[in-house]
Amino acid sequence: MADPRGFLKVRERETQPRRPVPVRIMDYKEVYEAQEKGVLQAQAGRCMDCGIPFCHQGCPLGNLIPEWNDLMWRDKGAEAIERLHATNNFPEFTGRLCPAPCEASCVLGINQPPVTIKQVEVSIIDEAWGEGWVTPHPPERLTDRTIAVVGSGPAGLAAAQQLTRAGHTVAVYERDDRIGGLLRYGIPDFKMEKIQVDRRLEQMRAEGTRFRTGVEVGKDISWEQLRRRYDAVVIATGATVPRNLPIPGRELSGVHFAMDYLVQSNRAVAGDSVKNQISAEGKHVVILGGGDTGADCLGTAHRQQAASVTTLAIGQQPPAERAAHQPWPMYPTLFEMASAHEEGGERTFLASTVEFVGEDGKLTGVKVAETEFVDGKRLPKAGTERIIPADLVFLSLGFTGPEPAGLAEQVSAEFDDRGNVARDGYYMTGTPGVFAAGDAGRGQSLIVWAIAEGRAAAAAVDQWLMGSTRLPAPVAPTDRAITVL
């Protein structure tokens, strides 16, 4: 175990330092600085080796957190990355983007600040990349089975890497010009620079995974053609249909879905020429929605030198500490300050958007009212309306499900009552050999769930093709583990 008395000697939780706000808003580099090694080891030493590690149940991947905390504390980085990679294909992604439900389940969190699990995780993988410990793991032998993975987000990449390592020939299809899905075009560089994606793709190519960009399945090639060409197909297209807000004035110029804005910004940062790019420079910006995507828009608008940014949330401001109905080890809803919130802008809660106001077809403001609760419904309170000046509005209201793109017609895929691709306990759709993983089948969720489902779906595919599998299967769609033969 880590330092047996570490949690008694080091009672303070010390997280990764961030670059100064005036400096970091001048570029799109990651906001975090490296933590000093001694501080990091002391934080890892706070892990209690508590006997029943509730952090395991908090992590959909089942990460072996006490083990690699101990190895980090002992300065055994090469061994630590082995234990981390045993359950997680891409710790450089989760260590930067996951909201860390494991920390909410940390036993130390009962009466002290929890262990900085996420920081230890990302430090292990960053050291591993720096030391050259991350190498390709090509299969020892190849099978004669071929698999198409549609979508190159975290679920698709995790499934592809696992299946490639099992010896299958895997091709990943992506409709964009670069591989990575929302990792590439949805996540701003100030949260994760794209070198993290690029060097992992280099590893996957060296292992034998093939990538096909600029191919939209269901349009450029039909799902039926794909099914005939491959022994199995994995649908990992994500839940990319944005939730709309059909209120008066929605048609005004200046009202955009958040992802349209972020994709354009990421392309520009990557060096692409973006025609008619949505820019917040010198404009008054209003963001509807207080989640991670809204924070991404906020940070991007700061870097584009917006005149002002206001974030509106329809619900109440979450509490700073656990509510009684969310006791440990549940994942609580808390008021959080993302790095973008530190950089400025106004946050308003209990704000119901009533109308988009404009002149000559252009947005000039947003009419809002206080939110009141009537019979459990959130409604605008009469007489409290006011107009917030706005040149741009970004709708960051979540996603409603995957894009059908010919699924229903071409592979007879069914959809559940939430609009997600229906599948059984082994990730298979109603069509034999066609599987669904990640947000496409689960609905909008966390990156750690996407990777977990990609790994589990890979095990299910391998078992269906070969009759048995040695691939680990952390979760099933019902949140129960798959029995691996």
Side-chain angles (χ1 to χ4, degrees), residues 168-353:
H168 305 300
T169 300
V170 181
V172 178
Y173 285 81
E174 170 58 56
R175 66 182 176 181
D176 284 325
D177 58 339
R178 297 183 180 96
I179 294 294
L182 291 185
L183 293 170
R184 173 75 63 184
Y185 288 130
I187 304 297
D189 282 48
F190 58 80
K191 286 179 67 174
M192 187 182 74
E193 294 179 41
K194 300 309 176 273
I195 187 177
Q196 307 298 338
V197 180
D198 292 336
R199 59 188 177 187
R200 188 59 78 172
L201 293 178
E202 289 179 15
Q203 180 201 38
M204 294 181 65
R205 288 189 179 97
E207 292 171 348
T209 302
R210 304 172 184 183
F211 296 98
R212 307 281 186 264
T213 56
V215 180
E216 185 170 356
V217 178
K219 192 173 183 180
D220 300 319
I221 181 175
S222 71
W223 290 95
E224 187 177 340
Q225 288 174 312
L226 207 66
R227 180 67 186 93
R228 289 199 303 265
R229 185 178 300 180
Y230 294 89
D231 295 309
V233 175
V234 178
I235 302 167
T237 53
T240 56
V241 178
R243 181 171 284 107
N244 201 359
L245 185 62
I247 60 174
R250 174 63 182 87
E251 75 288 348
L252 291 171
S253 172
V255 182
H256 305 275
F257 287 118
M259 202 51 63
D260 293 340
Y261 174 58
L262 294 175
V263 168
Q264 288 188 358
S265 174
N266 279 322
R267 286 189 178 278
V269 172
D272 295 350
S273 176
V274 181
K275 293 182 179 180
N276 302 317
Q277 181 183 353
I278 304 167
S279 175
E281 183 177 0
K283 297 180 180 179
H284 298 286
V285 178
V286 173
I287 300 167
L288 304 187
D292 288 341
T293 303
D296 293 346
C297 291
L298 176 63
T300 302
H302 288 148
R303 283 155 181 79
Q304 292 180 347
Q305 300 181 351
S308 69
V309 189
T310 303
T311 301
L312 303 180
I314 193 172
Q316 296 178 331
Q317 178 175 324
E321 298 182 355
R322 285 183 182 271
H325 67 283
Q326 293 176 327
W328 176 91
M330 293 178 63
Y331 185 69
T333 301
L334 299 175
F335 180 69
E336 297 181 352
M337 285 284 291
S339 64
H341 296 131
E342 294 177 345
E343 296 165 1
E346 181 181 343
R347 300 174 76 178
T348 302
F349 293 87
L350 289 176
S352 294
T353 305

